[in-house]
Amino acid sequence: MINNHLSESEIQQYSFERDTCNNIILEHVSKCEPCRIQASNYKIIDEKLKDVKKEFFNFDLSKMVLKQISADTSSSKLLINLFFSFLFGFMAVIVIGAASYFIIDAISLKEQLANLPNPVIPVMSVCVVVLISVYTSEMFSRHRKLMRLINTL
Amino acid sequence: MDNPDQIRQDCELVEKVLRGDTNSFAQIIKATENLVAQILFKMIKNEDNRKDIAQDVYIKAYKNLSGFKFQSKLSTWIAQIAYNSCINFYHKKRTELYDDFLGSREEDDEIIRNEVADQESSDFQIEEEIQGKELKKILESEIEKLNPIYKTLITLFHNEELSYEEITSITQLPEGTVKNYLYRARKVLKTNLLKKYKEGEL
């Protein structure tokens, strides 16, 4: 048996991790009233702590999170759509430009049109302007839609 | 993780969410929000911040769900995200979370030896009769006075009855540190309760 009283850590060990206590501690507590009182105080605190009321959110967390997730998904879809739209537009301009150039070359219009300004440049310019205006208007309409969705959250 | 049913249930839910079933994610939220609430209420005082962090926790969980390796319970993993989000919140606010006002464990041990010796004649004990609502109320107010990390650890261990392993997993603190913080927090609670009892408040 320990002659001195148990230390605070030994008393807590006895109170909360009794299966890890050695026999000296167990024996001491069984014979020492003050140490037993210290341990019983911790026992009471432990019991009362179990009864302390649990906190909870006063809002519907799952609803809020799911709304946020769907808004995030919409905005990432929008970005992907925009990326592919621009990629498609860019490729379209290249294809139209190249096709115009080769068609003109193939039907030997070049010589006939030698005195006229090269038509590839105006054709490409028109295509670019048309595509940019189409995609810009589409982008604005999607952006407005997204803003409306965010505002409703 | 020791419960195979829990693993299977977590697995099924995660798979469903990864296949795009957001209702399963709502189920995950419902099943874990109580634990997250215990952490957030102990760590964050401001209600608006708590609300923002709670949402942020689940958005992070949703985005990183494919990386969840089932090395712990899903609730433990989400609680870990919650705890880390709180720590990041304090870092952003540059607030010190840890303090050493309680002194070292060796000093405490010396004090308690003296206390026990002093009490041999007086037998100070938190008596059974004063275990009613009043003690619970005082205990709640004493918990609120603790440092946020101590408060959280006390809640996770005593209120949520989590194991040291789970608490270590949530807080990413070494087991020895968790035990040391719990030891200090309990000692403060006990000392303050006994002080109030001696002062006749109990």
Side-chain angles (χ1 to χ4, degrees), chain A residues 12 20 25 63 136 138 141 149:
Chain A
Q12 285 205 21
T20 67
I25 295 175
K63 205 172 165 185
T136 309
E138 198 187 358
S141 74
L149 180 71

Side-chain angles (χ1 to χ4, degrees), chain A residues 5 8 38 44 46 48-49, chain B residues 112 119-120 158-159 190:
Chain A
H5 287 294
E8 175 76 10
Q38 290 288 322
I44 291 169
D46 180 47
K48 285 293 130 190
L49 282 171
Chain B
I112 198 75
Q119 286 168 16
E120 272 179 332
H158 292 279
N159 210 231
K190 191 199 74 175

Side-chain angles (χ1 to χ4, degrees), chain A residues 56-67:
Chain A
F56 58 90
F57 296 123
N58 58 358
F59 50 89
D60 191 339
L61 183 59
S62 61
K63 205 172 165 185
M64 284 169 71
V65 171
L66 291 187
K67 268 186 185 174

Side-chain angles (χ1 to χ4, degrees), chain B residues 119-198:
Chain B
Q119 286 168 16
E120 272 179 332
S121 54
S122 53
D123 282 354
F124 262 103
Q125 184 177 13
I126 303 169
E127 289 170 3
E128 298 292 322
E129 302 89 76
I130 50 117
Q131 278 187 54
K133 280 180 187 169
E134 213 176 350
L135 176 59
K136 208 168 86 178
K137 221 170 12 178
I138 292 165
L139 200 55
E140 278 172 5
S141 83
E142 289 303 324
I143 293 171
E144 281 312 306
K145 289 177 194 165
L146 293 173
N147 160 311
I149 290 182
Y150 292 176
K151 262 195 275 188
T152 307
L153 294 180
I154 284 281
T155 304
L156 294 180
F157 188 86
H158 292 279
N159 210 231
E160 291 296 311
E161 297 183 51
L162 298 186
S163 65
Y164 286 124
E165 195 189 349
E166 284 172 305
I167 298 175
T168 302
S169 180
I170 290 170
T171 59
Q172 300 289 293
L173 291 169
E175 194 173 313
T177 309
V178 169
K179 285 183 177 177
N180 198 24
Y181 285 176
L182 274 170
Y183 158 86
R184 289 175 175 209
R186 286 177 196 131
K187 186 187 177 301
V188 171
L189 285 178
K190 191 199 74 175
T191 309
N192 291 348
L193 281 175
L194 284 174
K195 211 162 104 188
K196 290 205 165 169
Y197 179 51
K198 281 181 194 173

Side-chain angles (χ1 to χ4, degrees), chain B residues 18-107:
Chain B
L18 293 177
R19 282 201 300 264
D21 180 2
T22 46
N23 285 335
S24 294
F25 194 64
Q27 253 180 280
I28 291 177
I29 296 172
K30 294 271 180 215
T32 57
E33 70 177 315
N34 281 342
L35 181 56
V36 170
Q38 302 319 307
I39 295 171
L40 295 194
F41 272 88
K42 296 299 170 222
M43 296 286 283
I44 310 290
K45 273 188 180 174
N46 181 286
E47 198 182 333
D48 291 335
N49 291 335
R50 222 160 35 216
K51 202 171 177 178
D52 290 344
I53 293 172
Q55 277 192 82
D56 195 37
V57 165
Y58 283 100
I59 299 292
K60 279 182 195 164
Y62 184 79
K63 285 181 180 166
N64 295 301
L65 202 59
S66 58
F68 177 54
K69 304 281 181 227
F70 299 95
Q71 285 166 344
S72 63
K73 280 193 271 187
L74 186 59
S75 59
T76 306
W77 181 68
I78 291 174
Q80 188 190 331
I81 297 174
Y83 182 83
N84 286 340
S85 300
C86 296
I87 297 289
N88 289 339
F89 173 80
Y90 279 102
H91 283 168
K92 273 184 202 158
K93 293 195 87 181
R94 296 174 189 277
T95 310
E96 193 57 68
L97 266 172
Y98 300 85
D99 51 35
D100 290 314
F101 68 95
L102 291 166
S104 71
R105 196 161 173 159
E106 288 72 28
E107 283 169 8

